[in-house]
Amino acid sequence: MLIVRATKKLLGHTNPPRAVEGDQDTTLLGPWYATALFWRPRLALLVNERTLLPVLLPLAPARSLPARIPEEIATVLDAHQVPEAFIADELRHMQDCRFATTANRSVVGIMNEFTKLAEIYADDSARPNLAALSLRLATTPCSPLYAKNVSPDRELATLVGSAAA
């Protein structure tokens, strides 16, 4: 099961299946956080709680967002050259996607920073390449990772490397 901890802004725009007490994330990467970006077109920004890896995807159609999240995460993992076996295992655990409210203010703060950086990096492009933008955001040094691997892309590589060992 994949647990997505969404902001009120995103939950107000979608009607996703909700997690109930006792639901636990079964993916190796763990829970993801999500918010809505009211750009044109509207986007959703996901950030992994464990690695702070960002993933951008179109918000519309909002009803299908829970079904589209696993594939978009897989696309960004593939762009980071994560082994196919790891991605397939994550996808297998993401078949059931449920939403809950945010619980980690630090990750919400990182989402806010990624939102500001994404606006700068998108450079007023009407249709930014979301995978490329996600990859660029992943190189951003993040203070919660300073004691470890500094940026989400490096944190992901370390996690995947230790899972393969």
Side-chain angles (χ1 to χ4, degrees):
M1 175 182 305
L2 170 64
I3 302 292
V4 177
R5 297 195 164 276
T7 61
K8 290 179 184 178
K9 184 167 45 171
L10 180 63
L11 290 172
H13 246 38
T14 61
N15 189 17
R18 295 294 187 107
V20 295
E21 192 168 331
D23 282 350
Q24 292 187 352
D25 197 291
T26 59
T27 65
L28 182 59
L29 290 173
W32 288 78
Y33 278 62
T35 191
L37 305 181
F38 295 112
W39 298 5
R40 291 186 191 229
R42 291 180 177 182
L43 302 177
L45 169 64
L46 299 167
V47 174
N48 180 254
E49 183 176 41
R50 188 168 182 183
T51 64
L52 303 180
L53 183 73
V55 174
L56 288 161
L57 66 150
L59 182 57
R63 288 186 183 262
S64 69
L65 182 65
R68 292 183 290 116
I69 286 174
E71 199 57 45
E72 294 293 337
I73 291 172
T75 298
V76 171
L77 291 176
D78 185 56
H80 280 281
Q81 300 177 345
V82 170
E84 288 181 28
F86 184 96
I87 295 171
D89 192 44
E90 284 295 284
L91 283 172
R92 187 170 45 79
H93 286 281
M94 291 180 182
Q95 289 178 357
D96 186 13
C97 179
R98 307 248 174 129
F99 282 65
T101 57
T102 59
N104 184 330
R105 289 174 40 177
S106 179
V107 178
V108 173
I110 294 294
M111 282 194 308
N112 290 334
E113 292 300 316
F114 281 154
T115 297
K116 291 174 188 171
L117 286 172
E119 289 172 358
I120 294 166
Y121 295 158
D123 197 30
D124 295 328
S125 176
R127 293 264 180 210
N129 180 327
L130 299 182
L133 190 52
S134 296
L135 286 173
R136 186 166 183 195
L137 289 172
T139 64
T140 305
C142 297
S143 60
L145 299 177
Y146 283 170
K148 299 179 199 171
N149 296 298
V150 181
S151 62
D153 59 344
R154 291 178 183 177
E155 188 71 17
L156 175 66
T158 300
L159 176 67
V160 170
S162 67

